[in-house]
Amino acid sequence: MKGIRLIKNSILMVLLLAVATLSSAGSPVWTFTPLTATTISVPSNNTGIVQYTVTNQSSRTHTLSMQSIAGVSQNTSSGYCGNPFTLGYHQSCVLNLTINGSLIPNCFSGGPVVCQQSNSLQCYQPNTSDVLTVTKAEATYTVGGTVNGLSGTLVLENNGSDLLTLTADGTFTFPTTELSGASYSVTVQTQPATQTCTVSNGSGTISNSNITNITVTCSTNSYAVGGTTTGLAGSESVVLQNNGGDNLTVSANGSFTFATPVAQGSTYNVTVLTQPSTQTCTVTNGSGTMGGANVTNVSVTCATNAYTVGGTLSGLAGGQSVVLQNNGADNLTLNSNGSFTFATSVAEGSAYNVTVLTQPSIQTCTVTNGSGTMGGANVTNVSVSCVTNTTTLTTSVSSLALSKTGYTEYGISGTPSSGLARTITVNNTGSYPAVNFSISYPSWPSGTTASSNCGSSLAASSSCAITITPGSTATSDGTNPCTTTGTAPVAQTITISADNASSVSSTAVILGYGCIMQGGYIYAFDDTTSASTSVGGKVATTSDQSSGIIWSSNGSGGTSNIAIYGISQTSTSSSPNPSSGQVAGQTACNGNIDGTCDTNNIYVYYQNNATNAPISNTLYATGLCKQTISTYSDWYLPAICEVGYGANASCGVSGTPTLQNMQSDLVDTLNLLSGFYWSSTEFAVNPTSRAWFQNFASGGSSQSFNFKNGIFAVRCSRALTL
């Protein structure tokens, strides 16, 4: 059988070489441009992908089909070459090949061979350096399992190096695969902040199957609350509570510990539930937030003799009231000036501390002589003085822009959804509380809501937050939502007021694709901006900067055919394409997605290094975007994936584009643009004379490349700076 397979492979190679010999005669009628590596290794239990752009170089239309290769299948789904497929003059499509490691021979090289459907002798394949070369690799397997009980962030590691960060329960798989026979050892590198996680079934040897039985179990850390009791009489007992429960009866001096532990990060609050019959016990160090160890410093001090705490109130205005507290409890409400006394006595030797719990609505009261250690007599010299006050309110932003819900923000890290709730912080910057605090909201677009954590007063030097949660409808232009008509929204006003402060206001607007903002139509959102600031995004100018202009210029009526450094569709910030010709001020760009970087490289060249430089901005596409438009001067010529989608330039497809783009968000849904428009991205195969363009057409995106002397329209872009 092995010999038969060798004979079949030899016959296949002879046929491929014969076709290659036939195809090499003269210039190829259709050519192949690799979009991926063409020499690959595929594990025997996995698959690999290889892609070519097939371009008809003939002036005639050809209907083509690929000859079959053992173990290689052609993906003919939307966006790729069909089988067969028809190409007109200079038309292209992507030939998408899947290599099945279980079906291919140990190695082979040659093809793919694409033939004229009606003429099997007219066949071509890639250049020798680009032919498909595949080696079957040994099967690899994954290591993973399940995590339970996780609350926080957990970092696992396999074999001391392969790291995996988890934030929720469920299954997990390490990114690095392993060969059969390899050992694995899964351990916890970093525990969650308030939990301890343990690994079961974490080590072993891989034996021809994926590892899925590793179990990670997490539990929240908790610690005891306790302290020391002193001064308790021999015949007495005191009942303590923690967090309003977990009662503990203490009958002797010394250490004590509550029975119920408290979770790390939660609060504890030790109080006296029942005092001794002839003593008064007070608690110090009784409250706080549980850290990573037992609390042992709560102090309960008991004393037999107790005396009252009191003093004098002055300056309280008519109709006002003030609530005092002693030692954080024992509330006392006063409605008039004069002497006062707290109801609860304080043990001799214990501390007292008189504070204002609730200020009068339009006054501030201050306490003097309010704290000390109780001696052998009643305290009568506490003084509370009240004065009428005013304060000042401010808001964190004068205006706030939000995205409506319903969009997927392609191209943004994490691919978030639109419609992030955003906050306006209200600050009391004065020295007094703002009383009878109120917020007046506008009539929001359908689905949008607003709430706040503000109360009826706002303390001095304090703040509260108004949270606006967008719905699926944009703000109106006065008649209709701005998304339905491609118009500018009318901002809505939130008014904040208090009895003793001047009113302040902030405006808010709910935006969607097509709304006009900062000189252009919005076509992209970025909701990864801080929730306390406006949404980010991009806009396209509301009108063309030119209905037809060349991509490049020599400054004297002709075209400048030169490859600009680092701006082709295959260029990245770490691997520029073109990789030569860099001049001062140019950087390596992600050429198909970063129009700002592309525009800079083009502009720097034509300003300083082109023939007849500097070239007038009015003579070439990018230059038109380096002018002030609608009062803004930070416009740029968008990259190909910013103007549309399409597989040829690695811009994705309609349902899942690489970036939010003008075709998807201004044309497919709103039909606001039409015609052929330049991008700032050069064509990687021939960057000297060709650049990418977009045909804005309702019903689907069309991207291609053209000679730089082509006459196409220009539509500029800029980032929202709300």
Side-chain angles (χ1 to χ4, degrees), residues 306-312 326 339-342 344-354 367-383:
Y307 301 94
T308 60
V309 175
T312 303
N326 186 24
S339 62
F340 62 87
T341 302
F342 285 94
T344 302
S345 300
V346 176
E348 185 175 359
S350 295
Y352 64 91
N353 184 27
V354 178
V367 178
T368 56
N369 300 320
S371 61
T373 300
M374 182 59 71
N378 294 332
V379 172
T380 60
N381 67 335
V382 178
S383 175

Side-chain angles (χ1 to χ4, degrees), residues 375-400:
N378 294 332
V379 172
T380 60
N381 67 335
V382 178
S383 175
V384 180
S385 300
C386 304
V387 294
T388 302
N389 54 70
T390 58
T391 192
T392 303
L393 298 176
T394 62
T395 58
S396 58
V397 292
S398 59
S399 60
L400 188 67

Side-chain angles (χ1 to χ4, degrees), residues 1-19 70 105-110:
M1 292 298 292
K2 182 175 181 181
I4 293 173
R5 284 197 301 271
L6 290 173
I7 292 171
K8 288 182 177 180
N9 288 340
S10 298
I11 292 173
L12 175 60
M13 291 303 297
V14 169
L15 289 174
L16 291 175
L17 288 172
V19 174
N106 287 337
C107 63
F108 70 89
S109 179

Side-chain angles (χ1 to χ4, degrees), residues 392-707:
T392 303
L393 298 176
T394 62
T395 58
S396 58
V397 292
S398 59
S399 60
L400 188 67
L402 306 89
S403 62
K404 78 181 191 70
T405 60
Y407 300 136
T408 300
E409 296 177 357
Y410 295 105
I412 303 303
S413 177
T415 317
S417 298
S418 63
L420 175 71
R422 296 180 178 274
T423 59
I424 299 173
T425 300
V426 183
N427 302 293
N428 182 350
T429 60
S431 303
Y432 307 104
V435 297
N436 288 333
F437 184 93
S438 65
I439 303 171
S440 176
Y441 297 107
S443 296
W444 297 110
S446 176
T448 295
T449 60
S451 61
S452 80
N453 61 359
C454 304
S456 58
S457 65
L458 184 60
S461 301
S462 297
S463 61
C464 63
I466 299 170
T467 300
I468 303 173
T469 303
S472 60
T473 304
T475 299
S476 171
D477 60 4
T479 304
N480 299 299
C482 56
T483 52
T484 62
T485 54
T487 52
V490 178
Q492 297 174 285
T493 302
I494 304 168
T495 303
I496 302 99
S497 59
D499 283 356
N500 60 334
S502 299
S503 296
V504 293
S505 63
S506 294
T507 61
V509 62
I510 314 300
L511 301 173
Y513 294 147
C515 294
I516 295 176
M517 183 64 60
Q518 290 194 325
Y521 295 121
I522 297 173
Y523 69 89
F525 286 112
D526 180 1
D527 268 288
T528 62
T529 57
S530 169
S532 61
T533 62
S534 291
V535 66
K538 302 175 185 176
V539 299
T541 52
T542 56
S543 61
D544 293 341
Q545 275 54 67
S546 173
S547 60
I549 193 172
I550 60 176
W551 194 89
S552 59
S553 173
N554 62 9
S556 59
T559 303
S560 173
N561 285 322
I562 186 168
I564 305 296
Y565 170 80
I567 66 168
S568 79
Q569 83 273 15
T570 62
S571 179
T572 68
S573 59
S574 60
S575 180
N577 185 327
S579 59
S580 61
Q582 183 180 16
V583 299
Q586 291 181 329
T587 58
C589 302
N590 295 312
N592 64 341
I593 63 173
D594 191 352
T596 301
C597 183
D598 294 348
T599 294
N600 175 73
N601 283 9
I602 298 167
Y603 185 66
V604 165
Y605 175 78
Y606 284 113
Q607 281 293 297
N608 303 306
N609 297 279
T611 301
N612 298 321
I615 304 297
S616 170
N617 289 338
T618 62
L619 297 180
Y620 63 104
T622 298
L624 295 180
C625 295
K626 295 298 291 183
Q627 305 180 84
T628 297
I629 305 168
S630 299
T631 74
Y632 294 95
S633 58
D634 56 350
W635 299 94
Y636 62 88
L637 186 63
I640 187 61
C641 294
E642 290 179 290
V643 293
Y645 50 81
N648 290 350
S650 298
C651 293
V653 296
S654 175
T656 54
T658 300
L659 301 178
Q660 299 166 83
N661 60 83
M662 298 178 193
Q663 174 71 39
S664 295
D665 304 328
L666 299 181
V667 180
D668 290 352
T669 56
L670 299 173
N671 202 26
L672 290 175
L673 307 173
S674 64
F676 294 84
Y677 287 78
W678 281 121
S679 78
S680 58
T681 307
E682 287 182 331
F683 178 46
V685 176
N686 188 358
T688 299
S689 62
R690 300 185 187 186
W692 288 92
F693 69 88
Q694 174 77 30
N695 178 14
F696 287 132
S698 178
S701 176
S702 175
Q703 293 179 336
S704 190
F705 46 86
N706 196 70
F707 292 102

Side-chain angles (χ1 to χ4, degrees), residues 8-10 12-13 16 38-42 50 52 66-73 97-101 103-113 125 131-136:
K8 288 182 177 180
N9 288 340
S10 298
L12 175 60
M13 291 303 297
L16 291 175
T38 59
T39 298
I40 64 172
S41 176
V42 181
V50 174
Y52 297 86
M66 188 189 88
Q67 293 185 351
S68 62
I69 304 174
V72 179
S73 60
L97 306 179
T98 301
I99 295 90
N100 190 326
L103 300 178
I104 61 174
N106 287 337
C107 63
F108 70 89
S109 179
V113 176
Q125 66 175 348
V131 296
L132 186 62
T133 302
V134 181
T135 302
K136 179 184 288 190

